[in-house]
Amino acid sequence: DQGGTLYASVRLPYVGITGITTRYQLRYLEDLLKQLDWPDTHKVMNGVLLSEKVLNGGQPSRPTRYPPLLRIPDLMSRNSRIINVIHYNSRSPMLHLQLREINKLSPLIVAVQLNIPWPQASELACYRSSVDAGPWLILQIGASAYQQAANQPHRLARRLERYLGCIEAVLLDPSGGEGKRFDPKAVRAQLSALRFYDFSSGVAGGLAADNVQELIGPLRADFPGINWDAEGRLRTPDDQLDLQACEAYLRACRELLR
């Protein structure tokens, strides 16, 4: 079953780059992965940003990071080394309907990351019950969401219990795409609190070629299935995706995975 295989691939650990907006950028990364002989143990996540405004037909407020809606299908890769993930933010309460609309954008979407502080679990359960198969869900835990859990790992774990059966993964992301380096000690405590739950965990925040070994290497030793994602430090001063920074980052990740 091609759909089952597609969605199952998100269970592999992934290394992410978020903020792809053009087909040229995607092809550059596809060619680079071939050059690097990227290993089968990890997928590379092609992160495409989408807002409720754009989903409803509006123009992106940040066009250097958010592509127009009609371009998104062309940004979905068929490369076996890549998984396509929509990073979605919304303030609307009718999230299950929005997720169903996202499903229609492309059959190549493997997962949707919810960049939403504590969405209604009932909305996610409603989405799950309304589709036979569909992209898996990754819940971003940003700074605001963690503050609502009193900045305590055990309270974070308790709040996530309501999402069991609704999400497949969690991303600990205190930076939110702004390139702020995560605190390794704080992230380690959060990952420890989540390690017995039935979803995979990942981290983001200030990652780039110059620190991925330092920040991710020690975490992989204790959390071998960890995912990680980069966005903010892979941008130029005018907020374009910096392909040279992306290449350096992926080369550093490739060395880490040897």
Side-chain angles (χ1 to χ4, degrees):
D1 171 358
Q2 184 178 5
T5 302
L6 182 70
Y7 301 130
S9 66
V10 82
R11 282 293 190 187
L12 284 174
Y14 65 78
V15 175
I17 291 181
T18 294
I20 303 291
T21 59
T22 70
R23 186 69 189 168
Y24 174 80
Q25 294 166 351
L26 182 60
R27 286 177 176 167
Y28 184 96
L29 295 178
E30 290 173 336
D31 290 344
L32 177 61
L33 296 182
K34 185 177 181 180
Q35 294 174 29
L36 293 177
D37 190 24
W38 192 264
D40 294 335
T41 57
H42 287 67
K43 295 291 186 180
V44 170
M45 186 268 288
N46 164 36
V48 176
L49 292 159
L50 175 65
S51 67
E52 178 188 7
K53 174 185 175 182
V54 174
L55 183 64
N56 290 331
Q59 291 300 308
S61 303
R62 301 177 73 180
T64 58
R65 295 207 190 194
Y66 287 75
L69 185 67
L70 293 179
R71 189 185 297 165
I72 289 179
D74 289 335
L75 300 179
M76 299 294 100
S77 176
R78 294 182 179 273
N79 190 302
S80 63
R81 296 180 171 98
I82 292 175
I83 59 170
N84 302 300
V85 178
I86 299 294
H87 293 233
Y88 185 63
N89 64 78
S90 169
R91 296 182 179 179
S92 169
M94 303 299 287
L95 188 56
H96 74 281
L97 297 178
Q98 296 164 60
L99 288 170
R100 292 176 67 179
E101 289 303 307
I102 292 171
N103 288 359
K104 298 174 185 177
L105 294 176
S106 171
L108 298 175
I109 298 171
V110 168
V112 178
Q113 179 173 303
L114 301 172
N115 295 347
I116 303 168
W118 303 116
Q120 290 290 327
S122 59
E123 285 290 307
L124 305 187
C126 184
Y127 160 72
R128 282 281 178 241
S129 66
S130 67
V131 293
D132 293 330
W136 287 7
L137 300 180
I138 304 167
L139 182 60
Q140 180 202 55
I141 303 297
S144 174
Y146 195 44
Q147 287 170 5
Q148 291 177 51
N151 293 321
Q152 297 293 325
H154 70 280
R155 292 195 179 186
L156 172 65
R158 289 293 299 275
R159 288 201 70 157
L160 282 168
E161 286 180 358
R162 71 187 71 171
Y163 296 96
L164 290 172
C166 297
I167 65 173
E168 282 71 37
V170 168
L171 182 79
L172 305 172
D173 183 8
S175 174
E178 298 306 316
K180 300 174 184 176
R181 176 180 168 132
F182 68 78
D183 178 347
K185 183 178 179 180
V187 160
R188 180 175 290 277
Q190 294 166 42
L191 290 170
S192 295
L194 302 181
R195 67 189 313 162
F196 299 112
Y197 287 91
D198 187 28
F199 40 67
S200 61
S201 297
V203 296
L207 290 172
D210 60 2
N211 64 15
V212 71
Q213 176 72 54
E214 172 196 354
L215 292 175
I216 299 299
L219 291 176
R220 286 189 70 227
D222 294 325
F223 308 97
I226 193 172
N227 310 310
W228 63 94
D229 187 14
E231 181 182 351
R233 290 198 58 214
L234 304 182
R235 316 296 301 185
T236 63
D238 60 349
D239 205 34
Q240 302 288 335
L241 186 67
D242 186 335
L243 291 177
Q244 289 186 332
C246 290
E247 178 170 345
Y249 163 72
L250 285 177
R251 288 186 181 278
C253 291
R254 181 67 181 94
E255 287 302 309
L256 180 62
L257 296 175
R258 289 191 188 279

